[in-house]
């Protein structure tokens, strides 16, 4: 018996896709080396990115107006959500799926499909077993590589009562983290996880190479000491490291493997949740407009990597002063080509001439030529 859909990978993207396929009545197999593993990362999204079908309990906290700090405080006119990771995983129920604990060693995609099984796409497993399916979709993420820019972060989870500020910080670029002048910068990401806990995370937005976790740990501790935030030494730790670009825009890949990761934020989970139904239905999620937006976002990443470290707060100050519709177009609207291009043009016009020259040169270069280090 051949399933309708075989998904390689049981992370948030693969699990979301499998869950929605089951909801639409498909027979589903999911292959993963550790299909029952516990998710430990913190996931967040803009509230308007999340699909209506998402279980309410998967949303832990909603922040009406998160804040960005550059050389000034900027309130962002957009609701932001922090997801409850265990509840999110549990809500993506896979009880009716076949879970196979194994490694995928090869995916075969014949040029011609039949209904007889032999010419269907299939996967070969580490055990030697071959599994055919009506469709095979790769949702295994993107492997690390020296050629890929990465995001890194080191975070501590503290009691919310110990956080003296009322704000949630989407990005806080203030320079109280002890970094040496001229060193690659990092920012504080500070969000509530629930009524009792805050995640305080020192983050390197993107780098090739990115800042190492021990550096980010020392910066975070310095920043928290400078703000008189008490620590016991027993706080739970969150460590983050993943590529912010890579993957291929194609129908047979999903999530980060399918180039869903936004290179300006590192976010991909909301896109996977939102696009799962379309992929299950067999709709095209990569029309020409989406492919061009993807290329523009990659150009934006090259620009960020090329900026002098001292210009980053200036860059984000200009971005977060754009109209909310322009910010939303660039950050979330993957098929909005005119909105994305307009946002980039407005941002370019708002920056000083010296910064414009750097950005223009970086955007024109192939990605492999832009090798400036961390953000």
């Amino acid at each position: 018996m051949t399933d309708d859909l075989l998904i390689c990978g049981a992370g948030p993207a693969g699990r979301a896709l499998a869950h929605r396929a089951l909801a639409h009545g498909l027979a589903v197999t999911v292959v993963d080396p550790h299909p029952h593993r516990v998710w430990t990362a913190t996931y967040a999204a803009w509230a308007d990115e999340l699909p209506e079908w998402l279980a309410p309990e998967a949303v832990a906290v909603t922040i009406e107006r998160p804040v960005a700090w550059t050389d000034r405080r900027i309130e962002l006119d957009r609701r932001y959500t922090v997801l409850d990771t265990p509840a999110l995983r549990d809500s993506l129920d896979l009880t009716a799926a076949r879970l196979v604990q194994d490694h995928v060693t090869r995916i075969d995609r014949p040029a011609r499909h039949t209904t007889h099984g032999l010419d269907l796409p299939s996967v070969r497993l580490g055990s030697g077993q071959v599994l055919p399916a009506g469709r095979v979709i790769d949702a295994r993420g993107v492997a690390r590589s020296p050629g890929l820019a990465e995001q890194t972060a080191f975070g501590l989870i503290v009691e919310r009562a110990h956080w003296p500020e009322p704000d949630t910080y989407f990005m806080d670029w203030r320079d109280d983290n002890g970094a040496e002048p001229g060193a690659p910068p990092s920012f504080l990401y500070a969000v509530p996880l629930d009524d009792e806990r805050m995640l305080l995370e020192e983050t390197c937005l993107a780098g090739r190479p990115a800042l190492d976790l021990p550096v980010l740990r020392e910066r975070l501790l310095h920043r928290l000491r400078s703000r008189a935030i008490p620590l016991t030494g027993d706080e739970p730790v969150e460590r983050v490291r993943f590529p912010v670009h890579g993957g291929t825009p194609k129908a047979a890949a999903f999530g980060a493997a399918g180039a869903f990761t936004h290179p300006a934020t590192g976010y991909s989970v909301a896109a996977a949740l939102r696009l799962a139904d379309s992929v299950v239905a067999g709709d095209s999620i990569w029309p020409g407009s989406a492919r061009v937006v993807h290329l523009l976002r990659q150009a934006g990443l090259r620009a960020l990597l090329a900026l002098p470290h001292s210009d980053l707060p200036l860059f984000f100050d200009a971005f977060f002063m754009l109209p909310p519709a322009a910010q939303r177009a660039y950050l979330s609207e993957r098929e909005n080509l005119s909105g994305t291009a307009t946002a980039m043009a407005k941002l370019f016009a708002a920056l000083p001439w010296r910064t414009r020259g750097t950005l223009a040169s970086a955007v024109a270069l192939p990605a492999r030529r832009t090798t400036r280090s961390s953000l």
Side-chain angles (χ1 to χ4, degrees):
M1 187 174 232
T2 301
D3 287 340
D4 301 306
L5 179 64
L6 188 151
I7 299 167
C8 307
R15 195 174 179 98
L17 183 60
H19 174 73
R20 295 310 295 167
L22 293 169
H24 287 275
L26 274 61
V28 178
T29 292
V30 179
V31 180
D32 190 281
H34 307 286
H36 303 290
R37 69 185 180 277
V38 175
W39 298 349
T40 59
T42 299
Y43 303 114
W46 301 104
D48 51 39
E49 293 179 323
L50 298 174
E52 293 182 358
W53 58 260
L54 186 67
E57 60 269 21
V59 175
V61 181
T62 298
I63 300 98
E64 292 297 325
R65 296 178 69 89
V67 168
W69 257 104
T70 54
D71 58 354
R72 56 179 164 173
R73 180 181 179 276
I74 305 172
E75 284 193 8
L76 308 182
D77 188 16
R78 196 175 180 194
R79 297 171 73 224
Y80 187 69
T81 57
V82 179
L83 301 177
D84 183 320
T85 300
L88 171 66
R89 185 186 182 282
D90 290 345
S91 72
L92 302 175
D93 181 41
L94 298 187
T95 302
R98 176 172 59 148
L99 300 182
V100 177
Q101 186 170 350
D102 208 334
H103 293 270
V104 173
T105 60
R106 193 176 74 199
I107 299 176
D108 291 319
R109 303 187 187 279
R112 183 172 62 90
H113 290 184
T114 75
T115 58
H116 304 296
L118 294 178
D119 293 326
L120 290 173
S122 63
V123 299
R124 183 175 295 276
L125 307 182
S127 62
Q129 187 179 8
V130 176
L131 300 178
R135 284 193 291 164
V136 173
I137 295 181
D138 189 357
R140 290 176 293 174
V142 176
R144 293 183 58 200
S145 166
L148 298 179
E150 291 186 319
Q151 182 172 124
T152 52
F154 182 91
L156 296 175
I157 298 173
V158 304
E159 293 182 24
R160 195 163 180 178
H162 292 165
W163 178 247
E165 305 183 43
D167 290 332
T168 289
Y169 292 135
F170 181 70
M171 285 183 176
D172 183 350
W173 291 97
R174 285 177 287 183
D175 61 359
D176 59 348
N177 62 3
E180 294 292 329
S186 55
F187 64 88
L188 177 67
Y189 176 71
V191 296
L193 299 178
D194 50 39
D195 291 338
E196 299 179 351
R197 301 176 301 152
M198 287 285 297
L199 172 65
L200 307 179
E201 200 159 71
E202 194 74 19
T203 305
C204 168
L205 179 61
R208 190 170 44 220
L211 288 170
D212 287 332
L213 297 186
V215 173
L216 293 170
R217 176 182 180 276
E218 290 305 311
R219 289 189 183 186
L220 177 64
L221 294 177
H222 189 285
R223 194 190 293 273
L224 299 186
R225 284 194 299 267
S226 71
R227 300 190 189 188
I229 296 173
L231 298 174
T232 66
D234 295 324
E235 288 80 9
V237 171
E238 178 168 292
R239 297 176 177 86
V240 175
R241 183 183 288 273
F242 62 89
V244 291
H245 73 300
T248 304
K250 59 183 180 180
F254 192 74
F260 285 16
T261 304
H262 197 303
T265 61
Y267 290 3
S268 66
V269 171
L273 294 171
R274 190 171 67 253
L275 293 170
D277 280 344
S278 295
V279 172
V280 169
D283 298 338
S284 171
I285 61 169
W286 285 106
S289 58
R291 291 178 181 275
V292 177
V293 167
H294 175 69
L295 293 176
L296 289 176
R297 289 176 173 178
Q298 296 298 313
L301 175 62
R302 295 200 299 274
L304 281 174
L305 291 170
L307 277 177
H309 302 319
S310 59
D311 280 357
L312 280 170
L314 174 70
F315 178 91
F316 283 102
D317 184 83
F319 180 82
F320 289 121
M321 291 304 293
L322 293 177
Q327 295 181 40
R328 183 178 295 108
Y330 187 77
L331 293 176
S332 301
E333 297 175 0
R334 61 188 297 275
E335 296 183 27
N336 188 348
L337 176 54
S338 62
T340 300
T342 298
M344 295 178 76
K346 286 181 178 291
L347 175 61
F348 187 79
L351 293 168
W353 279 106
R354 73 174 191 281
T355 307
R356 293 186 200 181
T358 301
L359 296 183
S361 298
V363 167
L365 289 173
R368 66 178 181 274
R369 293 281 303 279
T370 306
T371 56
R372 289 292 294 265
S373 61
S374 309
L375 302 183

